[in-house]
Coordinates of all heavy atoms in Angstrom, one line a residue:
V189 N 9.6 -187.6 128.4 CA 10.4 -187.4 129.7 C 10.4 -186.0 130.2 O 10.4 -185.7 131.4 CB 11.8 -188.0 129.5 CG1 12.6 -187.7 130.8 CG2 11.8 -189.4 129.0
D190 N 10.6 -185.0 129.3 CA 10.6 -183.7 129.8 C 9.3 -183.2 130.5 O 9.3 -182.4 131.4 CB 10.9 -182.7 128.6 CG 10.0 -182.8 127.5 OD1 9.4 -183.8 127.3 OD2 9.7 -181.7 126.8
Q191 N 8.2 -183.8 130.0 CA 6.9 -183.4 130.6 C 6.8 -184.1 132.0 O 6.3 -183.5 132.9 CB 5.8 -183.7 129.7 CG 5.6 -182.9 128.4 CD 4.4 -183.3 127.6 OE1 3.5 -183.9 128.1 NE2 4.4 -182.9 126.3
V192 N 7.2 -185.3 132.1 CA 7.1 -186.0 133.3 C 8.0 -185.3 134.3 O 7.7 -185.2 135.5 CB 7.5 -187.6 133.1 CG1 7.6 -188.3 134.5 CG2 6.6 -188.3 132.1
A193 N 9.2 -185.0 133.9 CA 10.2 -184.3 134.7 C 9.6 -183.0 135.3 O 9.7 -182.7 136.5 CB 11.5 -184.1 134.1
Q194 N 8.9 -182.3 134.4 CA 8.3 -181.1 134.8 C 7.2 -181.3 135.9 O 7.2 -180.5 136.9 CB 7.8 -180.3 133.6 CG 7.5 -178.8 133.9 CD 7.1 -178.1 132.7 OE1 6.6 -178.7 131.7 NE2 7.2 -176.8 132.7
L195 N 6.4 -182.3 135.7 CA 5.4 -182.6 136.7 C 6.0 -183.0 138.0 O 5.6 -182.6 139.0 CB 4.5 -183.7 136.2 CG 3.7 -183.3 135.0 CD1 3.0 -184.7 134.4 CD2 2.5 -182.3 135.4
A196 N 7.1 -183.8 137.9 CA 7.8 -184.2 139.2 C 8.4 -183.0 139.9 O 8.3 -182.9 141.1 CB 8.9 -185.2 138.9
A197 N 9.0 -182.1 139.2 CA 9.6 -180.9 139.7 C 8.5 -180.1 140.4 O 8.6 -179.4 141.5 CB 10.3 -180.1 138.7
Q198 N 7.3 -179.9 139.7 CA 6.2 -179.2 140.3 C 5.7 -179.9 141.5 O 5.4 -179.1 142.6 CB 5.0 -179.2 139.3 CG 5.4 -178.3 138.1 CD 4.3 -178.4 137.0 OE1 3.3 -179.2 137.1 NE2 4.5 -177.6 135.9
K199 N 5.7 -181.2 141.7 CA 5.4 -181.9 142.9 C 6.3 -181.5 144.0 O 5.9 -181.4 145.2 CB 5.3 -183.4 142.6 CG 4.1 -183.9 142.1 CD 3.0 -184.2 143.1 CE 1.9 -185.1 142.5 NZ 0.9 -185.4 143.6
L200 N 7.6 -181.5 143.7 CA 8.6 -181.1 144.8 C 8.5 -179.7 145.1 O 8.9 -179.3 146.2 CB 10.0 -181.4 144.2 CG 10.4 -182.9 144.1 CD1 11.7 -183.1 143.3 CD2 10.5 -183.6 145.5
G201 N 8.0 -178.8 144.3 CA 7.7 -177.4 144.6 C 9.0 -176.6 144.9 O 8.9 -175.7 145.9
G202 N 10.0 -176.7 144.2 CA 11.2 -175.8 144.4 C 12.4 -176.4 143.8 O 13.1 -175.7 143.0
P203 N 12.9 -177.6 144.1 CA 14.2 -178.1 143.6 C 14.1 -178.2 142.1 O 13.1 -178.4 141.5 CB 14.3 -179.5 144.2 CG 13.5 -179.4 145.6 CD 12.3 -178.5 145.1
T204 N 15.4 -178.1 141.5 CA 15.6 -178.4 140.1 C 15.8 -179.9 140.0 O 16.6 -180.5 140.7 CB 16.8 -177.5 139.6 OG1 16.3 -176.2 139.6 CG2 17.1 -177.9 138.2
L205 N 15.3 -180.4 138.9 CA 15.5 -181.8 138.6 C 16.5 -181.9 137.3 O 16.2 -181.2 136.4 CB 14.3 -182.6 138.2 CG 13.4 -183.2 139.3 CD1 12.2 -183.8 138.8 CD2 14.3 -184.1 140.2
L206 N 17.6 -182.7 137.4 CA 18.4 -183.0 136.3 C 18.3 -184.4 136.0 O 18.9 -185.3 136.7 CB 19.8 -182.6 136.6 CG 20.9 -182.5 135.6 CD1 22.2 -181.9 136.1 CD2 21.2 -183.8 134.9
V207 N 17.4 -184.8 135.0 CA 17.3 -186.2 134.6 C 18.2 -186.6 133.6 O 18.2 -186.1 132.5 CB 15.8 -186.4 134.2 CG1 15.5 -187.9 133.9 CG2 14.8 -185.9 135.2
K208 N 19.2 -187.4 133.9 CA 20.2 -187.8 133.0 C 19.7 -188.8 132.0 O 18.8 -189.7 132.2 CB 21.4 -188.5 133.8 CG 22.0 -187.6 134.9 CD 23.1 -188.2 135.7 CE 22.5 -189.0 136.9 NZ 23.5 -189.4 137.9
G209 N 20.3 -188.7 130.8 CA 20.0 -189.6 129.7 C 20.7 -189.2 128.4 O 21.7 -188.4 128.5
R210 N 20.3 -189.7 127.2 CA 20.9 -189.3 126.0 C 20.9 -187.9 125.8 O 21.8 -187.1 125.4 CB 20.3 -190.1 124.8 CG 21.0 -189.7 123.5 CD 20.4 -190.7 122.4 NE 21.1 -190.3 121.2 CZ 20.9 -191.0 120.0 NH1 20.0 -192.0 120.1 NH2 21.5 -190.7 119.0
K211 N 19.7 -187.2 126.2 CA 19.5 -185.9 126.3 C 19.1 -185.6 127.8 O 18.2 -186.2 128.3 CB 18.4 -185.3 125.4 CG 18.7 -185.4 124.0 CD 17.5 -184.9 123.1 CE 17.8 -185.0 121.6 NZ 16.7 -184.4 120.7
D212 N 19.9 -184.7 128.4 CA 19.7 -184.4 129.8 C 18.5 -183.4 129.9 O 18.5 -182.4 129.2 CB 20.9 -183.9 130.5 CG 22.1 -184.9 130.7 OD1 21.8 -186.1 130.6 OD2 23.3 -184.5 130.6
I213 N 17.6 -183.6 130.8 CA 16.4 -182.8 131.0 C 16.6 -182.0 132.3 O 16.8 -182.6 133.4 CB 15.1 -183.5 131.1 CG1 15.0 -184.5 129.9 CG2 14.0 -182.6 131.2 CD1 14.9 -184.0 128.6

Side-chain angles (χ1 to χ4, degrees):
V189 177
D190 59 329
Q191 292 183 20
V192 177
Q194 192 171 23
L195 290 171
Q198 288 170 0
K199 277 273 192 175
L200 286 169
T204 292
L205 278 180
L206 190 174
V207 183
K208 296 177 280 195
R210 182 171 183 176
K211 295 182 179 180
D212 295 333
I213 310 298

